[in-house]
Amino acid sequence: MTMDRDLSGAFDADPPILVCADLQGEYLAQGRRHLIADADAIMPRCLELMTLWRDNLWPVIHLKRIAQAAWFNPASNLTNWIAELKPQPGELTFEHPLPSAYSSARFAEYMSNMRSIRCLVLGFSLDETILSTIVDGFHRSHRYQVIADAVACRRPGVDDVVSYKAVVTKVIGNFAGVLESMDLTRASGRIAV
């Protein structure tokens, strides 16, 4: 599933920013409308990548979905970060009311002030937050890559989550690079992109 779009950036310069999308309790709550079926499968990979970034003091951004109470109640404790994946001091956080992180004026301004950066994306809501953020970023000439084995989709009315994720990932491949987590690291732990 690896696609070679914009993987040519040398790593001698600045490391890519790790963008952690919507790692919130709402997506793990059984019986909830936003449950992500394979969240447990990707959480260890997300933690592994976050640990690599943190150990190397590389930049990490966290996105948090908030919205109207009828859809995703911001007052609920289910919108809280997943304990193991929550932001640490020094890491940026952005709350976004619509699926795209660019619906946060702070995030849009931050990204517009950054030059020649690459963002690697992991987390939840591949078919909403990640897809819409990448399309918005593409139209602003921002470079994103999605780590395919560290993202998950909601599955509203979809029985075949694997096929659904493959289709969404293929669509994202038109706007961003798509790679696997093992494409990022070598045996030494150095980033390979």
Side-chain angles (χ1 to χ4, degrees):
M1 179 183 298
T2 301
M3 302 172 91
D4 239 359
R5 183 177 162 90
D6 198 33
L7 294 178
S8 59
F11 209 72
D12 327 340
D14 295 328
I17 295 173
L18 187 65
V19 178
C20 305
D22 299 349
L23 296 171
Q24 297 166 252
E26 176 80 18
Y27 293 110
L28 302 180
Q30 290 297 323
R32 298 291 291 180
R33 188 173 126 197
H34 305 292
L35 175 70
I36 293 184
D38 59 344
D40 290 338
I42 71 148
M43 283 179 34
R45 190 149 293 113
C46 292
L47 184 57
E48 177 184 343
L49 290 167
M50 287 172 73
T51 300
L52 175 64
W53 253 252
R54 289 169 172 165
D55 287 351
N56 286 288
L57 302 176
W58 295 334
V60 178
I61 289 177
H62 298 268
L63 305 177
K64 184 178 188 182
R65 179 74 191 267
I66 57 164
Q68 298 299 322
W71 187 82
F72 204 98
N73 188 350
S76 165
N77 65 355
L78 292 174
T79 62
N80 292 344
W81 304 106
I82 297 167
E84 311 89 310
L85 302 170
K86 70 181 181 181
Q88 292 187 350
E91 296 175 349
L92 296 175
T93 61
F94 298 96
E95 294 181 346
H96 56 103
L98 299 173
S100 173
Y102 289 92
S103 67
S104 161
R106 283 185 56 240
F107 180 80
E109 181 180 355
Y110 175 82
M111 292 301 289
S112 70
N113 289 316
M114 301 302 290
R115 299 282 184 247
S116 301
I117 62 165
R118 292 170 294 135
C119 296
L120 298 174
V121 183
L122 59 76
F124 296 156
S125 203
L126 177 68
D127 51 344
E128 289 180 359
T129 295
I130 295 172
L131 174 62
S132 60
T133 299
I134 285 174
V135 170
D136 273 357
F138 176 83
H139 291 291
R140 291 170 167 86
S141 299
H142 298 158
R143 296 183 300 164
Y144 286 93
Q145 295 171 297
V146 172
I147 308 166
D149 58 336
V151 292
C153 294
R154 287 191 324 119
R155 56 172 215 149
V158 176
D159 292 328
D160 186 359
V161 177
V162 174
S163 295
Y164 180 63
K165 180 179 176 179
V167 169
V168 174
T169 303
K170 187 172 182 171
V171 169
I172 285 174
N174 292 310
F175 303 97
V178 178
L179 63 154
E180 301 290 324
S181 59
M182 64 189 231
D183 295 333
L184 289 173
T185 57
R186 298 185 179 122
S188 67
R190 278 186 48 87
I191 296 295
V193 292

